Amino acid sequence: MHLKNIMNLFLLILAITLVSACGNSTSEPKYESVTTTSYKIEYIPLTTAAEGKTTYKLRLTNKTTGATVAGKTITLAPTMTMIPSTSHSTPYDALSSNGDGTYSGTIYFVMASIAADGSSMGTWNLEFTVDGETVTFHPNVAMAMGSIIKLKGVNDKIGSMLGSTSRTYQVFNDGIVGSNAKFFITAVDDSAMMTFPAVSVGTTLHNQMNTAVPVTDMTVDVSNDKATWTALSDNGSGRWSKSGLAPLAAGSHLYVRLTVNGEQKTTDGAAVGASNAYGDFTIVGM
Ligand SMILES: [Cu+2]
């Protein structure tokens, strides 16, 4: 055989190998998994873990038999270990059993773990417990535009190492599509940033003296021009929504104004002024 023919044969074999490798990729991908005494637990991302709303599933199987295990209660305790030393939590929804051994969950990350330049800002620890057995996953959480707005209380404070600090409210993009806006709104409620209750009328917050502060009056307004404002409906449990808005095209802005118990929240915790009176979601194309 000529050298050229040998080369051609080699390329042909290489091509066949690549095609068959691609053919195999239709089988289910391997997910990150951890085993406990009784179970194998797989973490199945449904969206790329990122600042803001992130959805995922867990799959629970019997470690010995490989059978799927449905109907269990799996609890979550998320914490971010910050560089250098502090730590905090983030809001999340309870996991629900899908009946087939998978469990669906949503985490609303208040912070990315990877900076825009790729450097690490800390580590997220997603600690799941089932039947007293605990596993921890550490997904990298990317930055994401248009995923979260943070607004601060002015006289609305929580405790801190310095005595008190402005309470931060998180307005999460829970679905801004077409002419519909859905938000999930939470607030920090303790000095260690470990509790993030969902905020609606009826929620009880706590001030810097740990005195209960019931939310008796709350409005969430949106605008695309900062002139005409439309109020969202309070669906309870921190879920706010409005349909029939002016079309929310990619690249446009949706301004958000938040008032709780008569106090309008601001981007910096200072009194309402010309530039700090509202948050701004930049609409990202889907
Ligand atoms: Cu953090």
PDB file of all heavy atoms in Angstrom, residues 152-159 164-169 206-209 213 260-266 268-272:
ATOM      1  N   LYS A 152     -33.186  48.100  48.478  1.00  0.00           N
ATOM      2  CA  LYS A 152     -32.911  48.144  49.922  1.00  0.00           C
ATOM      3  C   LYS A 152     -33.892  49.033  50.673  1.00  0.00           C
ATOM      4  O   LYS A 152     -34.357  50.042  50.137  1.00  0.00           O
ATOM      5  CB  LYS A 152     -31.493  48.668  50.157  1.00  0.00           C
ATOM      6  CG  LYS A 152     -30.410  47.699  49.709  1.00  0.00           C
ATOM      7  CD  LYS A 152     -29.051  48.369  49.722  1.00  0.00           C
ATOM      8  CE  LYS A 152     -27.956  47.424  49.281  1.00  0.00           C
ATOM      9  NZ  LYS A 152     -27.343  46.693  50.403  1.00  0.00           N
ATOM     10  N   GLY A 153     -34.119  48.649  51.940  1.00  0.00           N
ATOM     11  CA  GLY A 153     -34.922  49.474  52.820  1.00  0.00           C
ATOM     12  C   GLY A 153     -34.170  50.737  53.202  1.00  0.00           C
ATOM     13  O   GLY A 153     -32.937  50.771  53.196  1.00  0.00           O
ATOM     14  N   VAL A 154     -34.915  51.778  53.546  1.00  0.00           N
ATOM     15  CA  VAL A 154     -34.310  53.037  53.997  1.00  0.00           C
ATOM     16  C   VAL A 154     -34.307  53.029  55.530  1.00  0.00           C
ATOM     17  O   VAL A 154     -33.248  52.922  56.156  1.00  0.00           O
ATOM     18  CB  VAL A 154     -35.071  54.243  53.413  1.00  0.00           C
ATOM     19  CG1 VAL A 154     -34.441  55.552  53.867  1.00  0.00           C
ATOM     20  CG2 VAL A 154     -35.099  54.150  51.882  1.00  0.00           C
ATOM     21  N   ASN A 155     -35.516  53.061  56.139  1.00  0.00           N
ATOM     22  CA  ASN A 155     -35.617  52.876  57.597  1.00  0.00           C
ATOM     23  C   ASN A 155     -35.941  51.426  57.939  1.00  0.00           C
ATOM     24  O   ASN A 155     -36.087  51.076  59.116  1.00  0.00           O
ATOM     25  CB  ASN A 155     -36.681  53.804  58.171  1.00  0.00           C
ATOM     26  CG  ASN A 155     -36.313  55.261  57.960  1.00  0.00           C
ATOM     27  OD1 ASN A 155     -35.209  55.677  58.283  1.00  0.00           O
ATOM     28  ND2 ASN A 155     -37.233  56.025  57.378  1.00  0.00           N
ATOM     29  N   ASP A 156     -36.067  50.621  56.938  1.00  0.00           N
ATOM     30  CA  ASP A 156     -36.418  49.198  57.047  1.00  0.00           C
ATOM     31  C   ASP A 156     -35.099  48.443  57.200  1.00  0.00           C
ATOM     32  O   ASP A 156     -34.366  48.262  56.237  1.00  0.00           O
ATOM     33  CB  ASP A 156     -37.161  48.844  55.747  1.00  0.00           C
ATOM     34  CG  ASP A 156     -37.508  47.384  55.609  1.00  0.00           C
ATOM     35  OD1 ASP A 156     -37.220  46.600  56.520  1.00  0.00           O
ATOM     36  OD2 ASP A 156     -38.085  47.037  54.554  1.00  0.00           O
ATOM     37  N   LYS A 157     -34.782  48.029  58.457  1.00  0.00           N
ATOM     38  CA  LYS A 157     -33.446  47.500  58.774  1.00  0.00           C
ATOM     39  C   LYS A 157     -33.494  46.082  59.323  1.00  0.00           C
ATOM     40  O   LYS A 157     -34.514  45.654  59.859  1.00  0.00           O
ATOM     41  CB  LYS A 157     -32.778  48.393  59.839  1.00  0.00           C
ATOM     42  CG  LYS A 157     -32.788  49.883  59.517  1.00  0.00           C
ATOM     43  CD  LYS A 157     -31.482  50.325  58.948  1.00  0.00           C
ATOM     44  CE  LYS A 157     -31.422  51.847  58.845  1.00  0.00           C
ATOM     45  NZ  LYS A 157     -30.366  52.281  57.947  1.00  0.00           N
ATOM     46  N   ILE A 158     -32.363  45.411  59.214  1.00  0.00           N
ATOM     47  CA  ILE A 158     -32.147  44.133  59.904  1.00  0.00           C
ATOM     48  C   ILE A 158     -30.902  44.292  60.774  1.00  0.00           C
ATOM     49  O   ILE A 158     -30.156  45.261  60.627  1.00  0.00           O
ATOM     50  CB  ILE A 158     -31.952  42.951  58.922  1.00  0.00           C
ATOM     51  CG1 ILE A 158     -30.784  43.236  57.962  1.00  0.00           C
ATOM     52  CG2 ILE A 158     -33.228  42.656  58.159  1.00  0.00           C
ATOM     53  CD1 ILE A 158     -30.314  42.025  57.179  1.00  0.00           C
ATOM     54  N   GLY A 159     -30.681  43.338  61.669  1.00  0.00           N
ATOM     55  CA  GLY A 159     -29.493  43.377  62.509  1.00  0.00           C
ATOM     56  C   GLY A 159     -28.244  43.125  61.687  1.00  0.00           C
ATOM     57  O   GLY A 159     -28.298  42.545  60.609  1.00  0.00           O
ATOM     58  N   SER A 164     -27.099  47.616  62.826  1.00  0.00           N
ATOM     59  CA  SER A 164     -28.186  47.428  61.874  1.00  0.00           C
ATOM     60  C   SER A 164     -27.729  47.817  60.478  1.00  0.00           C
ATOM     61  O   SER A 164     -26.761  48.565  60.306  1.00  0.00           O
ATOM     62  CB  SER A 164     -29.404  48.259  62.274  1.00  0.00           C
ATOM     63  OG  SER A 164     -29.141  49.630  62.081  1.00  0.00           O
ATOM     64  N   THR A 165     -28.426  47.291  59.492  1.00  0.00           N
ATOM     65  CA  THR A 165     -28.129  47.598  58.093  1.00  0.00           C
ATOM     66  C   THR A 165     -29.429  47.531  57.299  1.00  0.00           C
ATOM     67  O   THR A 165     -30.391  46.899  57.744  1.00  0.00           O
ATOM     68  CB  THR A 165     -27.077  46.608  57.538  1.00  0.00           C
ATOM     69  OG1 THR A 165     -26.679  47.039  56.246  1.00  0.00           O
ATOM     70  CG2 THR A 165     -27.613  45.195  57.434  1.00  0.00           C
ATOM     71  N   SER A 166     -29.482  48.180  56.153  1.00  0.00           N
ATOM     72  CA  SER A 166     -30.701  48.157  55.335  1.00  0.00           C
ATOM     73  C   SER A 166     -31.051  46.735  54.921  1.00  0.00           C
ATOM     74  O   SER A 166     -30.174  45.967  54.527  1.00  0.00           O
ATOM     75  CB  SER A 166     -30.485  48.987  54.063  1.00  0.00           C
ATOM     76  OG  SER A 166     -30.451  50.350  54.375  1.00  0.00           O
ATOM     77  N   ARG A 167     -32.329  46.419  54.999  1.00  0.00           N
ATOM     78  CA  ARG A 167     -32.787  45.120  54.517  1.00  0.00           C
ATOM     79  C   ARG A 167     -32.708  45.098  52.988  1.00  0.00           C
ATOM     80  O   ARG A 167     -33.103  46.065  52.334  1.00  0.00           O
ATOM     81  CB  ARG A 167     -34.245  44.890  54.936  1.00  0.00           C
ATOM     82  CG  ARG A 167     -34.807  43.521  54.515  1.00  0.00           C
ATOM     83  CD  ARG A 167     -36.322  43.440  54.653  1.00  0.00           C
ATOM     84  NE  ARG A 167     -36.812  43.892  55.948  1.00  0.00           N
ATOM     85  CZ  ARG A 167     -36.769  43.165  57.073  1.00  0.00           C
ATOM     86  NH1 ARG A 167     -36.292  41.947  57.051  1.00  0.00           N
ATOM     87  NH2 ARG A 167     -37.227  43.662  58.210  1.00  0.00           N
ATOM     88  N   THR A 168     -32.207  44.001  52.425  1.00  0.00           N
ATOM     89  CA  THR A 168     -32.194  43.863  50.969  1.00  0.00           C
ATOM     90  C   THR A 168     -33.362  42.984  50.532  1.00  0.00           C
ATOM     91  O   THR A 168     -33.587  41.904  51.091  1.00  0.00           O
ATOM     92  CB  THR A 168     -30.875  43.229  50.479  1.00  0.00           C
ATOM     93  OG1 THR A 168     -29.786  44.050  50.913  1.00  0.00           O
ATOM     94  CG2 THR A 168     -30.842  43.129  48.959  1.00  0.00           C
ATOM     95  N   TYR A 169     -34.106  43.486  49.542  1.00  0.00           N
ATOM     96  CA  TYR A 169     -35.163  42.712  48.884  1.00  0.00           C
ATOM     97  C   TYR A 169     -34.609  42.196  47.570  1.00  0.00           C
ATOM     98  O   TYR A 169     -33.912  42.930  46.855  1.00  0.00           O
ATOM     99  CB  TYR A 169     -36.387  43.593  48.597  1.00  0.00           C
ATOM    100  CG  TYR A 169     -37.128  44.016  49.846  1.00  0.00           C
ATOM    101  CD1 TYR A 169     -36.689  45.090  50.620  1.00  0.00           C
ATOM    102  CD2 TYR A 169     -38.271  43.328  50.258  1.00  0.00           C
ATOM    103  CE1 TYR A 169     -37.368  45.469  51.768  1.00  0.00           C
ATOM    104  CE2 TYR A 169     -38.957  43.709  51.412  1.00  0.00           C
ATOM    105  CZ  TYR A 169     -38.504  44.772  52.157  1.00  0.00           C
ATOM    106  OH  TYR A 169     -39.171  45.147  53.299  1.00  0.00           O
ATOM    107  N   HIS A 206     -38.773  40.639  60.229  1.00  0.00           N
ATOM    108  CA  HIS A 206     -38.251  40.997  61.554  1.00  0.00           C
ATOM    109  C   HIS A 206     -37.260  42.131  61.406  1.00  0.00           C
ATOM    110  O   HIS A 206     -36.429  42.109  60.497  1.00  0.00           O
ATOM    111  CB  HIS A 206     -37.589  39.779  62.205  1.00  0.00           C
ATOM    112  CG  HIS A 206     -38.554  38.657  62.419  1.00  0.00           C
ATOM    113  ND1 HIS A 206     -38.875  37.780  61.404  1.00  0.00           N
ATOM    114  CD2 HIS A 206     -39.304  38.309  63.494  1.00  0.00           C
ATOM    115  CE1 HIS A 206     -39.784  36.925  61.859  1.00  0.00           C
ATOM    116  NE2 HIS A 206     -40.064  37.230  63.115  1.00  0.00           N
ATOM    117  N   ASN A 207     -37.352  43.100  62.324  1.00  0.00           N
ATOM    118  CA  ASN A 207     -36.445  44.253  62.236  1.00  0.00           C
ATOM    119  C   ASN A 207     -35.136  43.995  62.992  1.00  0.00           C
ATOM    120  O   ASN A 207     -34.884  42.877  63.447  1.00  0.00           O
ATOM    121  CB  ASN A 207     -37.148  45.532  62.701  1.00  0.00           C
ATOM    122  CG  ASN A 207     -37.430  45.530  64.192  1.00  0.00           C
ATOM    123  OD1 ASN A 207     -36.920  44.680  64.944  1.00  0.00           O
ATOM    124  ND2 ASN A 207     -38.246  46.459  64.641  1.00  0.00           N
ATOM    125  N   GLN A 208     -34.310  45.037  63.127  1.00  0.00           N
ATOM    126  CA  GLN A 208     -32.984  44.883  63.749  1.00  0.00           C
ATOM    127  C   GLN A 208     -33.059  44.488  65.221  1.00  0.00           C
ATOM    128  O   GLN A 208     -32.075  43.996  65.775  1.00  0.00           O
ATOM    129  CB  GLN A 208     -32.140  46.161  63.562  1.00  0.00           C
ATOM    130  CG  GLN A 208     -32.598  47.385  64.336  1.00  0.00           C
ATOM    131  CD  GLN A 208     -33.636  48.197  63.578  1.00  0.00           C
ATOM    132  OE1 GLN A 208     -34.444  47.668  62.814  1.00  0.00           O
ATOM    133  NE2 GLN A 208     -33.630  49.511  63.788  1.00  0.00           N
ATOM    134  N   MET A 209     -34.241  44.710  65.858  1.00  0.00           N
ATOM    135  CA  MET A 209     -34.434  44.297  67.252  1.00  0.00           C
ATOM    136  C   MET A 209     -35.074  42.913  67.313  1.00  0.00           C
ATOM    137  O   MET A 209     -35.463  42.452  68.386  1.00  0.00           O
ATOM    138  CB  MET A 209     -35.336  45.306  67.987  1.00  0.00           C
ATOM    139  CG  MET A 209     -34.891  46.757  67.880  1.00  0.00           C
ATOM    140  SD  MET A 209     -33.223  47.029  68.505  1.00  0.00           S
ATOM    141  CE  MET A 209     -33.527  46.808  70.257  1.00  0.00           C
ATOM    142  N   VAL A 213     -42.377  42.314  62.080  1.00  0.00           N
ATOM    143  CA  VAL A 213     -42.889  43.403  61.246  1.00  0.00           C
ATOM    144  C   VAL A 213     -43.811  42.778  60.191  1.00  0.00           C
ATOM    145  O   VAL A 213     -43.346  42.279  59.170  1.00  0.00           O
ATOM    146  CB  VAL A 213     -41.736  44.165  60.537  1.00  0.00           C
ATOM    147  CG1 VAL A 213     -42.282  45.290  59.666  1.00  0.00           C
ATOM    148  CG2 VAL A 213     -40.716  44.693  61.540  1.00  0.00           C
ATOM    149  N   VAL A 260     -43.051  48.756  50.410  1.00  0.00           N
ATOM    150  CA  VAL A 260     -43.499  47.832  51.454  1.00  0.00           C
ATOM    151  C   VAL A 260     -43.829  48.644  52.702  1.00  0.00           C
ATOM    152  O   VAL A 260     -42.999  49.441  53.160  1.00  0.00           O
ATOM    153  CB  VAL A 260     -42.416  46.781  51.777  1.00  0.00           C
ATOM    154  CG1 VAL A 260     -42.881  45.846  52.894  1.00  0.00           C
ATOM    155  CG2 VAL A 260     -42.047  45.980  50.530  1.00  0.00           C
ATOM    156  N   ASN A 261     -45.033  48.453  53.214  1.00  0.00           N
ATOM    157  CA  ASN A 261     -45.513  49.185  54.402  1.00  0.00           C
ATOM    158  C   ASN A 261     -45.275  50.688  54.263  1.00  0.00           C
ATOM    159  O   ASN A 261     -44.834  51.362  55.195  1.00  0.00           O
ATOM    160  CB  ASN A 261     -44.858  48.649  55.678  1.00  0.00           C
ATOM    161  CG  ASN A 261     -45.370  47.254  56.030  1.00  0.00           C
ATOM    162  OD1 ASN A 261     -46.345  46.781  55.454  1.00  0.00           O
ATOM    163  ND2 ASN A 261     -44.699  46.594  56.958  1.00  0.00           N
ATOM    164  N   GLY A 262     -45.552  51.203  53.071  1.00  0.00           N
ATOM    165  CA  GLY A 262     -45.508  52.648  52.842  1.00  0.00           C
ATOM    166  C   GLY A 262     -44.133  53.210  52.530  1.00  0.00           C
ATOM    167  O   GLY A 262     -44.026  54.399  52.219  1.00  0.00           O
ATOM    168  N   GLU A 263     -43.083  52.377  52.591  1.00  0.00           N
ATOM    169  CA  GLU A 263     -41.741  52.885  52.292  1.00  0.00           C
ATOM    170  C   GLU A 263     -41.269  52.350  50.939  1.00  0.00           C
ATOM    171  O   GLU A 263     -41.162  51.133  50.740  1.00  0.00           O
ATOM    172  CB  GLU A 263     -40.729  52.464  53.366  1.00  0.00           C
ATOM    173  CG  GLU A 263     -39.346  53.048  53.107  1.00  0.00           C
ATOM    174  CD  GLU A 263     -38.272  52.455  54.024  1.00  0.00           C
ATOM    175  OE1 GLU A 263     -37.753  51.370  53.698  1.00  0.00           O
ATOM    176  OE2 GLU A 263     -37.973  53.093  55.046  1.00  0.00           O
ATOM    177  N   GLN A 264     -40.931  53.282  50.038  1.00  0.00           N
ATOM    178  CA  GLN A 264     -40.399  52.858  48.743  1.00  0.00           C
ATOM    179  C   GLN A 264     -38.943  52.454  48.913  1.00  0.00           C
ATOM    180  O   GLN A 264     -38.146  53.179  49.523  1.00  0.00           O
ATOM    181  CB  GLN A 264     -40.520  53.993  47.716  1.00  0.00           C
ATOM    182  CG  GLN A 264     -40.194  53.528  46.308  1.00  0.00           C
ATOM    183  CD  GLN A 264     -40.358  54.634  45.278  1.00  0.00           C
ATOM    184  OE1 GLN A 264     -41.146  55.560  45.461  1.00  0.00           O
ATOM    185  NE2 GLN A 264     -39.611  54.520  44.202  1.00  0.00           N
ATOM    186  N   LYS A 265     -38.590  51.293  48.392  1.00  0.00           N
ATOM    187  CA  LYS A 265     -37.220  50.782  48.515  1.00  0.00           C
ATOM    188  C   LYS A 265     -36.349  51.394  47.422  1.00  0.00           C
ATOM    189  O   LYS A 265     -36.844  51.779  46.356  1.00  0.00           O
ATOM    190  CB  LYS A 265     -37.211  49.255  48.436  1.00  0.00           C
ATOM    191  CG  LYS A 265     -38.202  48.575  49.372  1.00  0.00           C
ATOM    192  CD  LYS A 265     -38.118  49.052  50.817  1.00  0.00           C
ATOM    193  CE  LYS A 265     -39.265  48.520  51.661  1.00  0.00           C
ATOM    194  NZ  LYS A 265     -39.318  49.155  52.999  1.00  0.00           N
ATOM    195  N   THR A 266     -35.038  51.467  47.693  1.00  0.00           N
ATOM    196  CA  THR A 266     -34.128  52.131  46.749  1.00  0.00           C
ATOM    197  C   THR A 266     -32.923  51.233  46.452  1.00  0.00           C
ATOM    198  O   THR A 266     -32.640  50.287  47.189  1.00  0.00           O
ATOM    199  CB  THR A 266     -33.635  53.477  47.322  1.00  0.00           C
ATOM    200  OG1 THR A 266     -32.924  53.244  48.536  1.00  0.00           O
ATOM    201  CG2 THR A 266     -34.804  54.429  47.585  1.00  0.00           C
ATOM    202  N   ASP A 268     -29.863  51.857  46.782  1.00  0.00           N
ATOM    203  CA  ASP A 268     -28.718  52.028  47.678  1.00  0.00           C
ATOM    204  C   ASP A 268     -29.084  52.184  49.153  1.00  0.00           C
ATOM    205  O   ASP A 268     -28.194  52.391  49.987  1.00  0.00           O
ATOM    206  CB  ASP A 268     -27.888  53.242  47.226  1.00  0.00           C
ATOM    207  CG  ASP A 268     -28.733  54.520  47.143  1.00  0.00           C
ATOM    208  OD1 ASP A 268     -29.931  54.480  47.519  1.00  0.00           O
ATOM    209  OD2 ASP A 268     -28.189  55.548  46.697  1.00  0.00           O
ATOM    210  N   GLY A 269     -30.370  52.116  49.488  1.00  0.00           N
ATOM    211  CA  GLY A 269     -30.771  52.255  50.892  1.00  0.00           C
ATOM    212  C   GLY A 269     -30.849  53.703  51.364  1.00  0.00           C
ATOM    213  O   GLY A 269     -31.194  53.956  52.513  1.00  0.00           O
ATOM    214  N   ALA A 270     -30.500  54.644  50.480  1.00  0.00           N
ATOM    215  CA  ALA A 270     -30.662  56.072  50.806  1.00  0.00           C
ATOM    216  C   ALA A 270     -32.107  56.480  50.499  1.00  0.00           C
ATOM    217  O   ALA A 270     -32.847  55.735  49.859  1.00  0.00           O
ATOM    218  CB  ALA A 270     -29.681  56.907  49.984  1.00  0.00           C
ATOM    219  N   ALA A 271     -32.494  57.668  50.980  1.00  0.00           N
ATOM    220  CA  ALA A 271     -33.848  58.149  50.708  1.00  0.00           C
ATOM    221  C   ALA A 271     -34.072  58.247  49.192  1.00  0.00           C
ATOM    222  O   ALA A 271     -33.112  58.409  48.421  1.00  0.00           O
ATOM    223  CB  ALA A 271     -34.056  59.515  51.363  1.00  0.00           C
ATOM    224  N   VAL A 272     -35.345  58.147  48.789  1.00  0.00           N
ATOM    225  CA  VAL A 272     -35.683  58.168  47.369  1.00  0.00           C
ATOM    226  C   VAL A 272     -35.171  59.455  46.714  1.00  0.00           C
ATOM    227  O   VAL A 272     -35.438  60.557  47.194  1.00  0.00           O
ATOM    228  CB  VAL A 272     -37.215  58.059  47.166  1.00  0.00           C
ATOM    229  CG1 VAL A 272     -37.584  58.244  45.695  1.00  0.00           C
ATOM    230  CG2 VAL A 272     -37.723  56.723  47.678  1.00  0.00           C
TER     231      VAL A 272
END
